[in-house]
Amino acid sequence: MSRFLVRSFHLVLIAFCGASALAQVNRQTIRGSVLDSDTRQPLPGATIVIFGSDPLQGTTTDVDGRFTLDGVATGRLDLQVRMLGYEEQVLANQLLNSAKELVLEVRMVESVAKLAEVEIVAPQRHGEVRNDMALLSARKISVEETSRIAGGINDPARMVSTFPGVAGDPGGNNTIVVRGNSPKGVQWRLEGMEIPNPNHFSDDGATGGPINVLNSDMIDDSEFYTGAFSAEYGNVYSAVFDMRLRNGNDRKREYTLKAGILGTDLTAEGPLPGVEGGSYLANYRYSTLALLDGAGIVDYQGVPKYTDAAFKVKVPTRSIGTFSLFGIGGRSSIAQQDKGVAGDTLFADNDYGSRMGVVGLTHTRTIGANSFVYSTIALSGNGSGNTYRESPSPGEEDLELRGEADLSKWTVRATTTWNTRLNANHKLRSGAILSVDNFRMFNRSWEPAAEALRTNLDRKGSATTVQAFSSWKWRWNEQWSMTSGMHLLYYDLNKAISIEPRIAMRYQMRPDQAFSFGAGLHARTASLMTQLVQVPDANGVFHQPNKDLGLTRALHAVLGYERMLAEDLQVKAELYYQHLYDLPVENDLGSSYSESNTVEWFSTRTLVNKGVGFNRGIELSAEKFFTRGYHFMATASISETRYKALDGEWRNGRFNMGTVANLLAGKEWKLGTAKGKDRTITSGFRYSVQGGQYRTPIDLQASILANDQREGSPAWSLKGEPVHKLDLVVSYRVGRPKVSHEFKADVQNVLNAQTPVGYYFDSRSQSIKSYDQLAMLPVLQYTLRF
């Protein structure tokens, strides 16, 4: 009897301790839907299981393809999704927060090897994009990954500079160089359509900036492409950011508050009253430095001020599909004064501002059992302006106007894409894109030789671009797949036409090893400013020499190889060659000028499409995915970039950096649970090195005589020093029931390396000076989720 009492006591004690332990662990809900990737039809009966859960936690989807997993312990987890006749999906490294439900949309691909009562297990590819028409040179941009990579500061454009073949801007902007191409060749997309550059403090023609308008709390997992694009991507030859806004929580209201160096913002989301499955998501951010400046706490010679907002409203219907209304927008400005080193004399001032915005409506509707149509209509706008004044001579306090600009563009864009699955082996996708640009361009700049302002831009008007595409995917069997297609581009401003065939193939030799190949023609229109620039002839009559400037064109070919060395260790290699032709170069047989060496703005030179060039290189990467609490990645690329203008000489391109390499790693420590709190520390580093860009020497004596910078020779003959940078990130996350806190420090250039990255002629000192890479920058941030 006593032994029975003792044993019973032990069982009660164990049960009590177990219940206490469960009470100490924060738990949350995982919800979502499982859809057919090709038709967007819901998949009832799919199973969702949490890897490693003991006892096993899982569920199945209902008749509408929806699932719910309640009482899941917070932290990182992997989900396995299976469905008879479909390839298995693994959602790795999902971060479940105690303050936010995890809402997922899983898209499954029908297997080409359907067998009765057999579940098909496909090899998992880390970073694989949802767009199954892209077989290589493509990578998913995970929001979670962006937040934990050192130097990423929650900006996808900075995060992709860790990918092979991509180089960041050492000066501090998120501008990127991809495979030796000018940043002008990069395209930003949102919700399936091209948008203006979504960065604060950016000029027309640029594709980067210091701060992204897109807030990380609004973005869903997105995609980045570096070449050999599938047929749906047009008017681009360098790289594509294909971004998506996530949907808000359709069952409960949730909020996120962030305060840090880069801004203070609030995100709110929740269900739409009276709309089943409907949701809203909205964010607003304001510059923290502007707030401190308004309170009189900081006082610089120019405080950057910016604000941005974004929203998405999802409205599903029973009979006519799902609608989503979305928008993003931002404004930025800075007023600077040049008071010299002593700070007692005003030499110049400059007022600068930029803005961009997009508002659009998307519609997704299934057609029959095997097709769906995705359509979007949007209005976008962007522009910038500045007023620059300068003292006519030392000591004079009255400043005189030396330059001004007002650049504006509004675009109405409509797209529609039809997707249909003929069977498990064949899939078709076709679509059309119509863009109508309305513009107003005005710019005046100072001409030292004439000692007067000259109007370089003064035009209003419109331009229409029409694009159409069709692509076909053929999966011969489990090993072989192929995509092929055609893209058509017509630009009515200069009546230019481009017909661009594309093809890609993938051979899955073994479940852990694959080869791929892709090739295609690509083209991009010149910037409006370049085409609309006006210059005077010998009689002083202004004309537009570049109005009929044609398309920049490229032929891109890529050969790829990838292998899984272990379940969480992957190596990849890509060999590429890009032939550039019809490059805009100066119409002068003695000139070496090419637009392929520019980053932003425009030139007043007379240009013709007679330049050629090439980019070639090899990219290597080894990545250990985030498992067992840590990750690492090493990437390297070796490349060559050359071009030839009308002078007939092959030269180094500006972006012929040679070698670009990254080594990064991160570790997460769980400190245990105490009093209902989950405590986690995450740390990481990134060490990067990239070869310096080429530059043209400055002719000092000629610059002194002209009192303005003059280039020497030979062009693009001086290579910059290699740029080294070490970034560190540390975060401390505390989770409680229904609320979480995170304190994060992301420090760029920890060692404060000061490599010169540019040179200029300083008219005040009559000397050549340099500017260095971005100095050490600590980005601190506090996040509250509730």
Side-chain angles (χ1 to χ4, degrees):
M1 185 69 177
S2 59
R3 291 172 59 186
F4 175 77
L5 289 174
V6 171
R7 186 175 180 182
S8 299
F9 175 77
H10 283 167
L11 290 173
V12 172
L13 182 62
I14 292 172
F16 175 78
C17 292
S20 299
L22 288 175
Q24 297 297 322
V25 176
N26 288 319
R27 297 185 177 274
Q28 188 54 272
T29 298
I30 301 176
R31 296 190 296 105
S33 57
V34 179
L35 307 176
D36 185 301
S37 177
D38 296 331
T39 67
R40 297 298 192 269
Q41 297 279 4
L43 294 178
T47 61
I48 300 92
V49 174
I50 300 176
F51 271 129
S53 55
D54 187 17
L56 188 67
Q57 282 186 281
T59 188
T60 58
T61 55
D62 61 18
V63 292
D64 295 319
R66 298 176 181 174
F67 68 91
T68 301
L69 275 169
D70 292 316
V72 180
T74 57
R76 297 185 185 275
L77 51 87
D78 298 335
L79 291 174
Q80 179 190 58
V81 185
R82 287 185 171 185
M83 178 78 181
L84 289 177
Y86 286 81
E87 295 179 355
E88 174 190 294
Q89 291 288 313
V90 175
L91 283 67
N93 197 35
Q94 300 295 311
L95 181 58
L96 184 60
N97 190 289
S98 62
K100 288 180 66 65
E101 292 184 341
L102 181 60
V103 183
L104 303 169
E105 182 181 276
V106 184
R107 298 178 186 175
M108 305 194 71
V109 178
E110 186 179 8
S111 173
V112 295
K114 287 197 300 184
L115 299 175
E117 302 302 319
V118 173
E119 293 175 326
I120 307 302
V121 179
Q124 296 301 312
R125 298 166 58 196
H126 180 73
E128 183 178 8
V129 296
R130 279 186 170 182
N131 184 355
D132 62 351
M133 291 290 182
L135 301 184
L136 76 170
S137 295
R139 172 68 187 259
K140 181 178 72 174
I141 307 173
S142 163
V143 176
E144 183 277 331
E145 199 173 15
T146 303
S147 67
R148 64 175 158 84
I149 294 297
I153 57 175
N154 299 323
D155 184 346
R158 298 182 191 275
M159 190 267 180
V160 300
S161 64
T162 64
F163 297 165
V166 183
D169 177 16
N173 280 354
N174 62 13
T175 304
I176 58 170
V177 173
V178 180
R179 292 180 172 174
N181 287 296
S182 163
K184 281 187 172 182
V186 175
Q187 181 184 101
W188 287 90
R189 293 164 66 94
L190 181 67
E191 299 296 309
M193 63 166 39
E194 184 178 353
I195 63 170
N197 176 13
N199 285 286
H200 289 295
F201 304 101
S202 62
D203 287 317
D204 192 75
T207 58
I211 301 169
N212 203 305
V213 172
L214 283 165
N215 192 290
S216 60
D217 284 312
M218 298 291 297
I219 303 174
D220 199 355
D221 289 346
S222 301
E223 297 166 0
F224 181 68
Y225 303 89
T226 56
F229 315 114
S230 57
E232 64 201 84
Y233 297 110
N235 196 26
V236 61
Y237 64 87
S238 174
V240 176
F241 280 100
D242 200 350
M243 316 296 288
R244 298 280 177 176
L245 298 178
R246 67 180 180 89
N247 294 317
N249 194 319
D250 60 357
R251 293 192 183 177
K252 61 181 293 188
R253 289 188 293 272
E254 297 174 336
Y255 304 92
T256 301
L257 174 66
K258 288 184 178 180
I261 298 298
L262 295 183
T264 300
D265 66 270
L266 176 66
T267 303
E269 59 185 292
L272 283 180
V275 181
E276 183 181 357
S279 65
Y280 69 86
L281 174 67
N283 171 273
Y284 177 77
R285 177 173 60 175
Y286 194 78
S287 165
T288 300
L289 289 177
L291 292 173
L292 297 177
D293 177 57
I297 298 175
V298 298
D299 184 17
Y300 302 128
Q301 291 186 18
V303 174
K305 301 179 179 180
Y306 53 89
T307 183
D308 51 60
F311 71 90
K312 183 177 183 181
V313 179
K314 178 184 176 183
V315 182
T317 67
R318 285 289 183 183
S319 58
I320 58 175
T322 299
F323 295 87
S324 291
L325 180 67
F326 69 94
I328 65 168
R331 298 183 66 91
S332 51
S333 64
I334 185 169
Q336 296 175 299
Q337 292 184 329
D338 180 3
K339 293 186 177 181
V341 178
D344 56 0
T345 303
L346 180 60
F347 292 98
D349 65 19
N350 183 57
D351 291 337
Y352 173 82
S354 68
R355 67 267 181 196
M356 72 81 56
V358 181
V359 60
L361 179 68
T362 70
H363 177 228
T364 305
R365 184 175 183 181
T366 58
I367 307 294
N370 294 310
S371 303
F372 76 94
V373 176
Y374 179 80
S375 303
T376 307
I377 185 168
L379 172 66
S380 64
N382 68 299
S384 63
N386 80 290
T387 302
Y388 176 70
R389 302 186 306 161
E390 189 175 75
S391 174
S393 60
E396 291 193 29
E397 295 183 358
D398 294 333
L399 303 182
E400 296 182 357
L401 185 65
R402 287 292 186 266
E404 60 179 340
D406 183 12
L407 312 171
S408 299
K409 184 172 71 173
W410 306 268
T411 302
V412 177
R413 185 173 279 112
T415 72
T416 186
T417 302
W418 177 286
N419 295 262
T420 187
R421 182 177 62 205
L422 303 179
N423 52 46
N425 300 85
H426 298 278
K427 173 182 175 180
L428 299 176
R429 179 181 300 162
S430 301
I433 308 165
L434 175 65
S435 306
V436 180
D437 297 325
N438 295 277
F439 55 83
R440 183 184 71 245
M441 301 285 177
F442 176 78
N443 177 75
R444 291 199 299 167
S445 60
W446 183 255
E447 286 292 326
E451 295 188 345
L453 286 167
R454 190 176 83 179
T455 302
N456 301 313
L457 285 171
D458 190 10
R459 286 290 184 272
K460 298 180 181 179
S462 63
T464 300
T465 305
V466 178
Q467 299 175 72
F469 67 89
S470 185
S471 57
W472 165 49
K473 183 169 185 178
W474 180 19
R475 295 191 292 168
W476 308 341
N477 50 44
E478 292 180 292
Q479 287 77 41
W480 286 95
S481 58
M482 180 189 75
T483 61
S484 62
M486 188 78 69
H487 190 99
L488 172 67
L489 169 67
Y490 171 75
Y491 189 41
D492 84 327
L493 191 65
N494 53 16
K495 313 304 179 186
I497 297 177
S498 180
I499 300 175
E500 305 165 11
R502 316 277 176 85
I503 189 170
M505 301 180 69
R506 180 179 175 86
Y507 172 49
Q508 192 77 41
M509 187 172 67
R510 298 191 319 220
D512 62 348
Q513 192 172 176
F515 292 89
S516 54
F517 169 78
L521 294 179
H522 311 89
R524 185 174 175 89
T525 59
S527 72
L528 273 172
M529 291 191 301
T530 299
Q531 292 187 282
L532 299 176
V533 68
Q534 60 183 34
V535 296
D537 59 19
N539 298 319
V541 178
F542 283 90
H543 66 288
Q544 295 174 259
N546 301 327
K547 184 176 181 180
D548 296 325
L549 190 65
L551 306 172
T552 299
R553 303 174 189 267
L555 167 63
H556 206 159
V558 184
L559 180 65
Y561 171 77
E562 62 185 70
R563 182 168 184 176
M564 297 295 299
L565 301 181
E567 288 185 353
D568 57 357
L569 182 60
Q570 180 186 58
V571 294
K572 296 182 69 174
E574 287 195 349
L575 184 70
Y576 67 88
Y577 183 87
Q578 185 181 35
H579 171 64
L580 301 167
Y581 60 105
D582 289 352
L583 289 176
V585 296
E586 185 172 14
N587 192 18
D588 183 342
L589 294 179
S591 175
S592 61
Y593 180 85
S594 171
E595 278 285 292
S596 62
N597 295 317
T598 62
V599 175
E600 58 188 10
W601 209 232
F602 66 97
S603 171
T604 57
R605 303 169 189 257
T606 300
L607 305 175
V608 292
N609 293 101
K610 294 185 178 181
V612 294
F614 67 81
N615 300 304
R616 60 187 177 190
I618 185 170
E619 301 168 354
L620 306 170
S621 67
E623 182 175 8
K624 192 270 181 188
F625 313 146
F626 200 110
T627 57
R628 300 187 294 278
Y630 74 99
H631 74 98
F632 66 79
M633 180 167 66
T635 67
S637 60
I638 302 173
S639 62
E640 182 183 19
T641 297
R642 307 271 288 177
Y643 81 99
K644 183 173 68 173
L646 287 190
D647 64 354
E649 182 176 342
W650 281 98
R651 302 178 184 274
N652 291 301
R654 174 178 177 176
F655 309 108
N656 187 13
M657 299 180 186
T659 301
V660 177
N662 293 275
L663 176 63
L664 56 98
K667 172 67 177 174
E668 186 175 87
W669 290 272
K670 293 183 178 181
L671 302 183
T673 303
K675 298 181 180 180
K677 296 189 295 184
D678 296 327
R679 299 171 299 160
T680 305
I681 290 180
T682 303
S683 65
F685 77 89
R686 173 192 172 189
Y687 178 75
S688 63
V689 58
Q690 61 185 52
Q693 297 182 10
Y694 275 86
R695 62 184 177 88
T696 299
I698 298 172
D699 189 328
L700 179 58
Q701 296 304 316
S703 300
I704 292 174
L705 289 174
N707 200 35
D708 191 37
Q709 183 167 309
R710 293 291 184 265
E711 293 183 345
S713 62
W716 306 108
S717 59
L718 300 179
K719 185 169 177 60
E721 301 176 32
V723 179
H724 298 258
K725 186 162 73 83
L726 175 65
D727 303 327
L728 295 178
V729 62
V730 179
S731 68
Y732 174 62
R733 188 172 66 249
V734 181
R736 303 186 182 206
K738 299 183 180 181
V739 64
S740 71
H741 308 265
E742 183 180 34
F743 304 87
K744 181 180 178 182
D746 193 341
V747 186
Q748 298 195 62
N749 194 8
V750 173
L751 301 180
N752 201 32
Q754 294 294 288
T755 304
V757 295
Y759 295 83
Y760 65 97
F761 172 70
D762 180 42
S763 60
R764 196 175 305 153
S765 64
Q766 298 287 285
S767 64
I768 297 174
K769 293 188 175 181
S770 66
Y771 57 89
D772 300 333
Q773 69 185 97
L774 181 69
M776 183 176 70
L777 177 65
V779 179
L780 308 178
Q781 181 178 272
Y782 166 70
T783 303
L784 170 65
R785 302 185 189 277
F786 58 100

